[in-house]
Structures are given as C-alpha cells and as structure tokens.
C-alpha cells in the first residue's frame, strides 16, 4: 500500500489562452477492460501496480497510460511526489496561507471518527497559515467532524487550495519568483519523479493555480456501486460493461472545450 495514489490530478494547460484546468480523479474510480491494466481495480492502485512490476518511472508511465484511456485525454507527461516532498515544498516557501471556508476537526483513525474523537487537531474557518506538516494534514484529512469534508471530492478541493497558495508564493515566473522557485526545486530534489525537464518543471510552477476545476462527480458522470468483493467503487453513469468510458470522454471533452471558449471570450 505504500505506493497507492493518495491524490490524482490532471492538469490541462491551454497555451493559446494561458489558462489551466484541473481535473481531480476520484481514487475509487473503477478501472476494468483497460489493456494496460489487466488486473482491474481502483484507479489509485494503478501507480502501485506499475511500481511493483517495474519502478517509480514505470508507475508514472502506467498511470498516464491508463488515465488517457479512461478520460479520453492525451496525458503527455506525469509527475509523482511523496508526502515528505509535499511537506518540504510548503516549508521551502515559508508555509502557505489559505482561506478555509468550513471549520473542522480531524483524526487519522476510523474508530475515533465513529466515536466523535478528534485527537489530531482542527482547522479554523477563515484565513489560516499552514506549515508543511499542517498543509499535509489539511490536504489528506479524511475522517473529519464535518460530513461534507470527509469525501474524496472535498479533499481534492483542499489540495487545490494548497497548490494555489504555492503558486502564489512562486509568482508569475518573473524575477521575484526565482528565489521561491529555487527553494521549491531544492525541496523537490529526490522527492519528485517526472518525465518533465527541470526547466519545464519550473515553468509549470506558474500554472499550479487552476483557472477552473472540472469535477467528476456522482450523478451526471459517475455512479456509486460495489464490486464483487463488496468494495465501494465509482463507475461511469450508464456503464455498459468493461472498457466503457465513453460517458467520461464526452463529458471532459465538452467541459474543456467550454473552458477554452470562455477564456477566449474573456476581456
């Protein structure tokens, strides 16, 4: 379980409009009928499967391949970062300041969650400053005192807040971004694996803040069910069987086209 993907995000950058769209991928999305992943399983198992059968580079390449099939998008590059790297990235820029809309307490223990105990701590509503350890806890918190904050969707939104705050620390790529940018690069050394060059990675840092998010939510796009082992999984709405991801393809293609059109029409 060490290499199960805790968070999966697709970043789509439109060079013509210089806008970024983030697509969080739910960890429970079921993958079946995909040639690159014949074992079948949840999408968060794909990276681990690649690592076990090869190495981290193989895990990243496999995740990109499977995501391309499932989403219908051409995933050109991949980047993987571990928890320590995430924590050190935040500390490298002096922490991040975010605006937290809902106060909540949290624990890492499911039984404590059921008993309403929150020994790990809490996050206040409003503007809060987080160091690396706090940012990691904020991004990962799954067992919380607020029902709406205990979902993978809520976690992806919190993760996006952290990335947006990191992007603000780096700036727009100008002179003022050099020192925090170098700090990020130092923190990422040995903690990040990617097929993106160092220069492109630095340029990519200016796109960490998304102009728009496209959610694969339950109802119109995904349906909750269980697999033959009784595990909670998400499948495309209207699923006809293994390999049928046409609904996700159509939805994402439409949303990205809409995002591009909106950016072009903006003053």
């Amino acid at each position: 379980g060490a290499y199960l993907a805790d968070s999966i995000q697709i970043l789509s950058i439109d060079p013509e409009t210089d806008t970024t769209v983030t697509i969080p991928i739910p960890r429970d999305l079921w993958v079946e009928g995909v040639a690159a992943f014949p074992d079948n399983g949840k999408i968060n198992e794909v990276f681990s499967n690649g690592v076990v059968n090869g190495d981290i580079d193989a895990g990243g390449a496999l995740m990109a391949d499977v995501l391309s099939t499932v989403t219908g998008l051409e995933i050109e590059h991949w980047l993987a970062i571990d928890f320590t790297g995430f924590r050190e990235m935040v500390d490298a820029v002096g922490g991040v300041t975010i605006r937290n809309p809902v106060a909540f307490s949290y624990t890492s223990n499911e039984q404590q969650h059921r008993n309403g105990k929150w020994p790990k701590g809490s996050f206040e509503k409003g503007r809060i400053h987080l160091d690396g350890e706090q940012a990691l806890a904020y991004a990962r918190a799954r067992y919380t005192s607020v029902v709406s904050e205990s979902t993978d969707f809520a976690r992806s939104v919190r993760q996006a807040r952290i990335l947006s705050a990191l992007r603000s620390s780096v700036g727009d790529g100008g002179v003022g971004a050099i020192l925090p940018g170098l700090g990020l690069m130092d923190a990422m050394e040995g903690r990040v694996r990617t097929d993106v060059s160092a220069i492109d990675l630095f340029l990519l840092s200016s796109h960490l803040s998304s102009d728009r998010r496209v959610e694969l939510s339950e109802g119109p796009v995904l349906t909750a069910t269980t697999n033959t082992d009784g595990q909670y999984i998400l499948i495309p709405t209207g699923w006809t069987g293994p390999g049928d991801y046409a609904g996700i393809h159509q939805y994402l293609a439409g949303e990205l086209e809409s995002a591009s059109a909106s950016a072009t029409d903006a003053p």
Side-chain angles (χ1 to χ4, degrees), residues 113-232:
H113 175 232
R114 291 175 179 173
N115 294 333
K117 297 180 179 180
W118 319 105
K120 286 292 185 178
S122 60
F123 296 100
E124 298 178 355
K125 177 180 179 180
R127 188 179 176 87
I128 56 177
H129 186 78
L130 307 173
D131 62 20
E133 191 68 38
Q134 293 167 328
L136 181 59
Y138 183 80
R140 294 194 68 203
R142 181 178 294 110
Y143 302 123
T144 77
S145 58
V146 177
V147 174
S148 62
E149 288 295 322
S150 297
T151 68
D152 271 346
F153 297 108
R155 292 170 72 239
S156 73
V157 171
R158 295 200 301 271
Q159 291 156 7
R161 291 190 193 114
I162 301 295
L163 290 177
S164 180
L166 275 172
R167 186 257 184 261
S168 297
S169 298
V170 174
D172 59 5
V175 175
I178 293 178
L179 288 179
L182 290 176
L184 279 179
M185 293 296 287
D186 285 342
M188 292 161 72
E189 184 177 0
R191 298 296 181 184
V192 168
R193 291 298 287 269
T194 181
D195 63 350
V196 179
S197 70
I199 292 177
D200 285 341
L201 191 59
F202 177 74
L203 295 175
L204 179 65
S205 66
S206 66
H207 290 278
L208 288 175
S209 180
S210 180
D211 298 289
R212 182 178 175 185
R213 287 170 55 84
V214 174
E215 300 282 0
L216 294 178
S217 55
E218 288 186 43
V221 190
L222 300 177
T223 297
T225 184
T226 56
N227 62 13
T228 54
D229 293 329
Q231 291 180 311
Y232 170 87

Side-chain angles (χ1 to χ4, degrees), residues 1-5 31 35-66 78 80 193:
Y3 291 100
L4 291 176
V31 180
F37 188 59
D39 294 336
N40 305 330
K42 295 183 179 182
I43 191 70
N44 73 325
E45 298 173 40
V46 172
F47 183 77
S48 177
N49 185 277
V51 174
V52 169
N53 292 304
D55 54 21
I56 291 180
D57 291 339
L62 181 61
M63 178 67 89
D65 191 355
V66 172
W78 60 269
R193 291 298 287 269

